[in-house]
Amino acid sequence: MIKLTATAIVHYISPVIEIPSKTPGGQGFTKRELVLDDSWTKDGVTHPNFVTIEFSGDKMFQLDNFTQGQRVTVEAYVNGREHQGRYFNSIKGQSVTLYVAQQTSSNAGQHVAAAPGGYPQQPAYPQQPAYSPQPQYAQHGGYAQQGAPMPTAGAVNNNLGPSNLPF
């Protein structure tokens, strides 16, 4: 399982969904779905992004405290499984809390500007330092075969295949 923490806007909270058991006499379960809106805009184009998180058992009642349009922070686990050669993921919610912007000494007392629609803007993250360039290695026309000597610079390889590749 992979644990994640996400902050986004509540788009939709489902009513209780009852899932019947697949086995006769078995006990089903109930769940609620929280749909988060994490859409983003770049170059004037809005890219919709809606993520569904399932809350089941006693955890689903946490959703009663929230409504559409609120910014929340969710802790969840991502589960994956394979079925007949295909892979499926599900996101199981653990907790949901109202988002509270953290104040730092550089912006203490400043007002967080509201984006269109009345939602607070995403916080600006500091620019990450660039990675130092990797050392350049001399290219010798491809990968050497195990046990074969590497050609030296300027050497001509006359053992090329039909597509002029050394393999």
Side-chain angles (χ1 to χ4, degrees):
M1 273 189 289
I2 298 173
K3 184 176 182 179
L4 63 89
T5 301
T7 298
I9 303 296
V10 173
H11 179 72
Y12 174 75
I13 300 174
S14 77
V16 174
I17 301 168
E18 295 185 29
I19 309 295
S21 174
K22 292 183 179 181
T23 59
Q27 186 175 9
F29 72 98
T30 57
K31 70 175 183 175
R32 290 180 76 185
E33 295 178 337
L34 169 66
V35 179
L36 297 177
D37 180 354
D38 192 36
S39 300
W40 50 281
T41 302
K42 181 177 180 185
D43 299 330
V45 177
T46 299
H47 302 274
N49 186 32
F50 297 97
V51 178
T52 301
I53 301 173
E54 295 179 355
F55 285 79
S56 61
D58 61 346
K59 297 187 182 351
M60 69 181 174
F61 299 107
Q62 297 176 58
L63 300 176
D64 292 338
N65 300 320
F66 302 98
T67 60
Q68 183 178 3
Q70 290 181 309
R71 183 176 293 275
V72 295
T73 299
V74 179
E75 288 188 1
Y77 289 99
V78 178
N79 295 310
R81 61 203 163 283
E82 183 269 336
H83 178 69
Q84 297 180 353
R86 296 191 61 197
Y87 297 91
F88 300 90
N89 294 318
S90 60
I91 305 174
K92 305 286 185 182
Q94 296 299 305
S95 68
V96 57
T97 57
L98 193 60
Y99 172 76
V100 178
Q102 295 181 359
Q103 294 289 325
T104 61
S105 60
S106 63
N107 67 359
Q110 293 181 356
H111 174 62
V112 176
Y119 305 131
Q121 293 178 348
Q122 292 285 347
Y125 296 101
Q127 183 67 28
Q128 296 295 320
Y131 290 101
S132 59
Q134 297 294 318
Q136 297 296 316
Y137 296 99
Q139 298 296 316
H140 295 290
Y143 296 101
Q145 296 176 3
Q146 189 170 356
M150 288 290 289
T152 58
V156 176
N157 186 352
N158 292 328
N159 297 325
L160 298 178
S163 59
N164 288 332
L165 294 174
F167 46 85

